[in-house]
Amino acid sequence: MSSNCFSLSRLSVFASLLAFSLTASASYGQTAALATPRVQGAVNESQLTTVRGNTLPVARASVDRGLVPDGTPTGHMLMVLKRSDAQQKALDALVAAQKDPKSPSYHKWLTPEQFGSQFGVADADVQAVTSYLAAQGFAVGRVFKDKMAIEFSGTAGQVRSAFRTEVHSYSINGHTFHANAAAPQVPAALAPVVKNITLNNYKTPMAQMARPMVLDRKTGVSHPLYAYTAFPEQDLSPGDLGVIYDIPSTATGSGVTVGVIGDSNINLAIPANYRTLFGLPANTPTVIVDGTDPGINNDATIAYAEIEVLAATAPQASVNFYTAAN
């Protein structure tokens, strides 16, 4: 991740994708709340409201390294939108019906577009938000299909002008990141539909790094490449996982595509070596970079673990690895 760019909040993106997976058919026995416009009147920049909960606790004055130059590019930023109380109530009922085997809506899914029309922000309100962002000089990217988030980019100076907050550089234990120094503000007219604005590129450090392991082909037991006897451990082979979790050998994953989300790129040779080591069929993941390529960083170990577990439990499944710069 470049130290001079902001980027999408991984948490925000994941929450948005999770919303897609929890949708179901609207035939659950009551009328679903349709999206209705909630932005009333003109968007007046002299009447502002603060978007609460939008500062990082770790961005303290003691680690503040000063103002970021106005021309610093932001990369991806994300404005997360919020649905009305009526929509949330209807969505909760819908999800409950989707989980109820006795409901006619049991396991009946909506497309992202159908979800957005019922439980997302109204088109008129999306237009009001994107128009405001464009008027502030930001480049507006995609509107998510569920109409719950808008991607945009610009400069630190535009952030200060549009959201009335400076962007500072912070450093913690050698880890440098950018973040807004105060909670952002938006025109009061937009407040009913704005939930969160991602204005930082902070990345939570990994608690620990995975250690290289060596497989003893004679015994089938693996051990750390470097001696470390305080906590002896053994790795599990694909066959072990199948036995422990009662995965039938016929469950190969053939015809299924699985998505893995990360904030590091990967070296495709590593999952390939894992498959070779355990005699699994070759199956190269498809890497899809969203925006700025984060390169290969410490979080690659998380991606390798997830991809290798998929290889062990569903060796013929296609894997799409989606990555962005945070």
Side-chain angles (χ1 to χ4, degrees), residues 132-156:
Y132 175 72
L133 293 173
Q136 301 302 309
F138 293 115
V140 179
R142 58 182 165 173
V143 175
F144 284 72
K145 292 180 180 181
D146 66 347
K147 297 180 184 176
M148 291 302 295
I150 299 170
E151 184 182 304
F152 64 104
S153 60
T155 65

mmCIF file of all heavy atoms in Angstrom, residues 132-156:
data_model
loop_
_atom_site.group_PDB
_atom_site.id
_atom_site.type_symbol
_atom_site.label_atom_id
_atom_site.label_comp_id
_atom_site.label_asym_id
_atom_site.label_seq_id
_atom_site.Cartn_x
_atom_site.Cartn_y
_atom_site.Cartn_z
ATOM 1 N N TYR A 132 -23.120 16.442 -5.403
ATOM 2 C CA TYR A 132 -22.351 17.229 -4.439
ATOM 3 C C TYR A 132 -20.871 16.877 -4.523
ATOM 4 O O TYR A 132 -20.006 17.760 -4.531
ATOM 5 C CB TYR A 132 -22.861 16.967 -3.025
ATOM 6 C CG TYR A 132 -22.023 17.652 -1.971
ATOM 7 C CD1 TYR A 132 -22.072 19.029 -1.798
ATOM 8 C CD2 TYR A 132 -21.134 16.917 -1.165
ATOM 9 C CE1 TYR A 132 -21.279 19.663 -0.856
ATOM 10 C CE2 TYR A 132 -20.348 17.546 -0.220
ATOM 11 C CZ TYR A 132 -20.429 18.916 -0.066
ATOM 12 O OH TYR A 132 -19.628 19.546 0.863
ATOM 13 N N LEU A 133 -20.552 15.584 -4.610
ATOM 14 C CA LEU A 133 -19.154 15.169 -4.705
ATOM 15 C C LEU A 133 -18.502 15.725 -5.961
ATOM 16 O O LEU A 133 -17.364 16.224 -5.924
ATOM 17 C CB LEU A 133 -19.065 13.640 -4.693
ATOM 18 C CG LEU A 133 -19.456 12.938 -3.393
ATOM 19 C CD1 LEU A 133 -19.473 11.423 -3.592
ATOM 20 C CD2 LEU A 133 -18.503 13.309 -2.262
ATOM 21 N N ALA A 134 -19.211 15.659 -7.078
ATOM 22 C CA ALA A 134 -18.671 16.185 -8.335
ATOM 23 C C ALA A 134 -18.470 17.691 -8.249
ATOM 24 O O ALA A 134 -17.471 18.222 -8.758
ATOM 25 C CB ALA A 134 -19.603 15.820 -9.486
ATOM 26 N N ALA A 135 -19.398 18.390 -7.607
ATOM 27 C CA ALA A 135 -19.285 19.845 -7.475
ATOM 28 C C ALA A 135 -18.088 20.243 -6.623
ATOM 29 O O ALA A 135 -17.547 21.351 -6.777
ATOM 30 C CB ALA A 135 -20.575 20.406 -6.872
ATOM 31 N N GLN A 136 -17.643 19.345 -5.739
ATOM 32 C CA GLN A 136 -16.468 19.603 -4.909
ATOM 33 C C GLN A 136 -15.168 19.243 -5.615
ATOM 34 O O GLN A 136 -14.096 19.362 -5.037
ATOM 35 C CB GLN A 136 -16.582 18.827 -3.599
ATOM 36 C CG GLN A 136 -17.798 19.171 -2.768
ATOM 37 C CD GLN A 136 -17.864 20.631 -2.412
ATOM 38 O OE1 GLN A 136 -16.893 21.199 -1.904
ATOM 39 N NE2 GLN A 136 -18.992 21.274 -2.679
ATOM 40 N N GLY A 137 -15.267 18.775 -6.852
ATOM 41 C CA GLY A 137 -14.087 18.449 -7.637
ATOM 42 C C GLY A 137 -13.659 16.999 -7.579
ATOM 43 O O GLY A 137 -12.659 16.623 -8.200
ATOM 44 N N PHE A 138 -14.403 16.163 -6.854
ATOM 45 C CA PHE A 138 -14.037 14.754 -6.773
ATOM 46 C C PHE A 138 -14.410 14.023 -8.065
ATOM 47 O O PHE A 138 -15.374 14.386 -8.752
ATOM 48 C CB PHE A 138 -14.761 14.071 -5.608
ATOM 49 C CG PHE A 138 -14.337 14.545 -4.257
ATOM 50 C CD1 PHE A 138 -15.230 15.218 -3.428
ATOM 51 C CD2 PHE A 138 -13.048 14.317 -3.795
ATOM 52 C CE1 PHE A 138 -14.846 15.655 -2.175
ATOM 53 C CE2 PHE A 138 -12.652 14.760 -2.537
ATOM 54 C CZ PHE A 138 -13.551 15.436 -1.727
ATOM 55 N N ALA A 139 -13.651 12.995 -8.386
ATOM 56 C CA ALA A 139 -14.005 12.094 -9.486
ATOM 57 C C ALA A 139 -14.883 10.997 -8.900
ATOM 58 O O ALA A 139 -14.437 10.232 -8.032
ATOM 59 C CB ALA A 139 -12.753 11.491 -10.115
ATOM 60 N N VAL A 140 -16.131 10.921 -9.328
ATOM 61 C CA VAL A 140 -17.062 9.929 -8.810
ATOM 62 C C VAL A 140 -16.913 8.652 -9.620
ATOM 63 O O VAL A 140 -17.044 8.658 -10.848
ATOM 64 C CB VAL A 140 -18.509 10.443 -8.864
ATOM 65 C CG1 VAL A 140 -19.475 9.374 -8.350
ATOM 66 C CG2 VAL A 140 -18.642 11.723 -8.048
ATOM 67 N N GLY A 141 -16.624 7.547 -8.932
ATOM 68 C CA GLY A 141 -16.486 6.261 -9.597
ATOM 69 C C GLY A 141 -17.811 5.537 -9.630
ATOM 70 O O GLY A 141 -18.837 6.101 -10.003
ATOM 71 N N ARG A 142 -17.828 4.329 -9.182
ATOM 72 C CA ARG A 142 -19.034 3.518 -9.263
ATOM 73 C C ARG A 142 -19.985 3.776 -8.097
ATOM 74 O O ARG A 142 -19.563 4.101 -6.994
ATOM 75 C CB ARG A 142 -18.675 2.041 -9.298
ATOM 76 C CG ARG A 142 -17.886 1.585 -8.109
ATOM 77 C CD ARG A 142 -17.504 0.119 -8.206
ATOM 78 N NE ARG A 142 -16.458 -0.184 -7.231
ATOM 79 C CZ ARG A 142 -16.009 -1.388 -6.982
ATOM 80 N NH1 ARG A 142 -16.503 -2.415 -7.631
ATOM 81 N NH2 ARG A 142 -15.058 -1.574 -6.094
ATOM 82 N N VAL A 143 -21.248 3.592 -8.374
ATOM 83 C CA VAL A 143 -22.271 3.480 -7.340
ATOM 84 C C VAL A 143 -22.539 1.986 -7.194
ATOM 85 O O VAL A 143 -22.878 1.320 -8.172
ATOM 86 C CB VAL A 143 -23.555 4.231 -7.728
ATOM 87 C CG1 VAL A 143 -24.645 3.998 -6.678
ATOM 88 C CG2 VAL A 143 -23.275 5.721 -7.899
ATOM 89 N N PHE A 144 -22.368 1.446 -6.004
ATOM 90 C CA PHE A 144 -22.563 0.013 -5.808
ATOM 91 C C PHE A 144 -23.993 -0.379 -6.146
ATOM 92 O O PHE A 144 -24.936 0.386 -5.926
ATOM 93 C CB PHE A 144 -22.217 -0.379 -4.372
ATOM 94 C CG PHE A 144 -20.740 -0.432 -4.103
ATOM 95 C CD1 PHE A 144 -19.990 0.737 -4.025
ATOM 96 C CD2 PHE A 144 -20.086 -1.640 -3.950
ATOM 97 C CE1 PHE A 144 -18.632 0.695 -3.796
ATOM 98 C CE2 PHE A 144 -18.714 -1.691 -3.713
ATOM 99 C CZ PHE A 144 -17.987 -0.517 -3.643
ATOM 100 N N LYS A 145 -24.154 -1.584 -6.676
ATOM 101 C CA LYS A 145 -25.458 -2.008 -7.180
ATOM 102 C C LYS A 145 -26.531 -2.079 -6.104
ATOM 103 O O LYS A 145 -27.720 -2.006 -6.412
ATOM 104 C CB LYS A 145 -25.324 -3.366 -7.881
ATOM 105 C CG LYS A 145 -24.527 -3.301 -9.175
ATOM 106 C CD LYS A 145 -24.425 -4.666 -9.837
ATOM 107 C CE LYS A 145 -23.623 -4.598 -11.127
ATOM 108 N NZ LYS A 145 -23.532 -5.921 -11.790
ATOM 109 N N ASP A 146 -26.109 -2.228 -4.839
ATOM 110 C CA ASP A 146 -27.111 -2.244 -3.770
ATOM 111 C C ASP A 146 -27.491 -0.833 -3.331
ATOM 112 O O ASP A 146 -28.301 -0.657 -2.426
ATOM 113 C CB ASP A 146 -26.617 -3.057 -2.575
ATOM 114 C CG ASP A 146 -25.425 -2.419 -1.878
ATOM 115 O OD1 ASP A 146 -24.827 -1.482 -2.444
ATOM 116 O OD2 ASP A 146 -25.091 -2.859 -0.767
ATOM 117 N N LYS A 147 -26.874 0.180 -3.974
ATOM 118 C CA LYS A 147 -27.145 1.603 -3.697
ATOM 119 C C LYS A 147 -26.901 1.948 -2.231
ATOM 120 O O LYS A 147 -27.632 2.747 -1.640
ATOM 121 C CB LYS A 147 -28.576 1.977 -4.107
ATOM 122 C CG LYS A 147 -28.840 1.816 -5.595
ATOM 123 C CD LYS A 147 -30.254 2.180 -5.967
ATOM 124 C CE LYS A 147 -30.513 1.903 -7.442
ATOM 125 N NZ LYS A 147 -31.918 2.160 -7.812
ATOM 126 N N MET A 148 -25.839 1.355 -1.694
ATOM 127 C CA MET A 148 -25.479 1.628 -0.312
ATOM 128 C C MET A 148 -24.064 2.195 -0.174
ATOM 129 O O MET A 148 -23.587 2.388 0.948
ATOM 130 C CB MET A 148 -25.610 0.349 0.528
ATOM 131 C CG MET A 148 -27.051 -0.120 0.726
ATOM 132 S SD MET A 148 -28.112 1.111 1.523
ATOM 133 C CE MET A 148 -27.358 1.234 3.126
ATOM 134 N N ALA A 149 -23.384 2.449 -1.274
ATOM 135 C CA ALA A 149 -22.046 3.018 -1.204
ATOM 136 C C ALA A 149 -21.683 3.661 -2.535
ATOM 137 O O ALA A 149 -22.140 3.220 -3.596
ATOM 138 C CB ALA A 149 -21.017 1.952 -0.836
ATOM 139 N N ILE A 150 -20.865 4.709 -2.447
ATOM 140 C CA ILE A 150 -20.383 5.435 -3.626
ATOM 141 C C ILE A 150 -18.873 5.560 -3.520
ATOM 142 O O ILE A 150 -18.340 5.979 -2.485
ATOM 143 C CB ILE A 150 -21.023 6.832 -3.718
ATOM 144 C CG1 ILE A 150 -22.548 6.726 -3.841
ATOM 145 C CG2 ILE A 150 -20.446 7.618 -4.896
ATOM 146 C CD1 ILE A 150 -23.269 8.052 -3.687
ATOM 147 N N GLU A 151 -18.183 5.199 -4.569
ATOM 148 C CA GLU A 151 -16.728 5.282 -4.610
ATOM 149 C C GLU A 151 -16.330 6.593 -5.287
ATOM 150 O O GLU A 151 -16.895 6.967 -6.311
ATOM 151 C CB GLU A 151 -16.199 4.092 -5.397
ATOM 152 C CG GLU A 151 -14.702 3.965 -5.459
ATOM 153 C CD GLU A 151 -14.297 2.769 -6.306
ATOM 154 O OE1 GLU A 151 -14.745 1.645 -6.004
ATOM 155 O OE2 GLU A 151 -13.558 2.979 -7.273
ATOM 156 N N PHE A 152 -15.348 7.293 -4.707
ATOM 157 C CA PHE A 152 -14.895 8.557 -5.301
ATOM 158 C C PHE A 152 -13.430 8.778 -4.952
ATOM 159 O O PHE A 152 -12.853 8.072 -4.114
ATOM 160 C CB PHE A 152 -15.763 9.730 -4.825
ATOM 161 C CG PHE A 152 -15.695 10.023 -3.354
ATOM 162 C CD1 PHE A 152 -14.978 11.103 -2.874
ATOM 163 C CD2 PHE A 152 -16.358 9.213 -2.438
ATOM 164 C CE1 PHE A 152 -14.917 11.384 -1.517
ATOM 165 C CE2 PHE A 152 -16.306 9.477 -1.076
ATOM 166 C CZ PHE A 152 -15.583 10.565 -0.606
ATOM 167 N N SER A 153 -12.797 9.757 -5.590
ATOM 168 C CA SER A 153 -11.382 10.038 -5.342
ATOM 169 C C SER A 153 -11.109 11.507 -5.619
ATOM 170 O O SER A 153 -11.881 12.197 -6.272
ATOM 171 C CB SER A 153 -10.491 9.154 -6.220
ATOM 172 O OG SER A 153 -10.750 9.396 -7.599
ATOM 173 N N GLY A 154 -9.975 11.990 -5.115
ATOM 174 C CA GLY A 154 -9.612 13.392 -5.313
ATOM 175 C C GLY A 154 -8.276 13.681 -4.669
ATOM 176 O O GLY A 154 -7.335 12.896 -4.769
ATOM 177 N N THR A 155 -8.185 14.812 -3.962
ATOM 178 C CA THR A 155 -6.950 15.220 -3.292
ATOM 179 C C THR A 155 -7.248 15.573 -1.839
ATOM 180 O O THR A 155 -8.402 15.781 -1.451
ATOM 181 C CB THR A 155 -6.316 16.437 -3.972
ATOM 182 O OG1 THR A 155 -7.199 17.566 -3.817
ATOM 183 C CG2 THR A 155 -6.068 16.190 -5.448
ATOM 184 N N ALA A 156 -6.181 15.677 -1.045
ATOM 185 C CA ALA A 156 -6.343 16.045 0.363
ATOM 186 C C ALA A 156 -6.952 17.438 0.494
ATOM 187 O O ALA A 156 -7.747 17.691 1.405
ATOM 188 C CB ALA A 156 -4.988 15.984 1.070
#
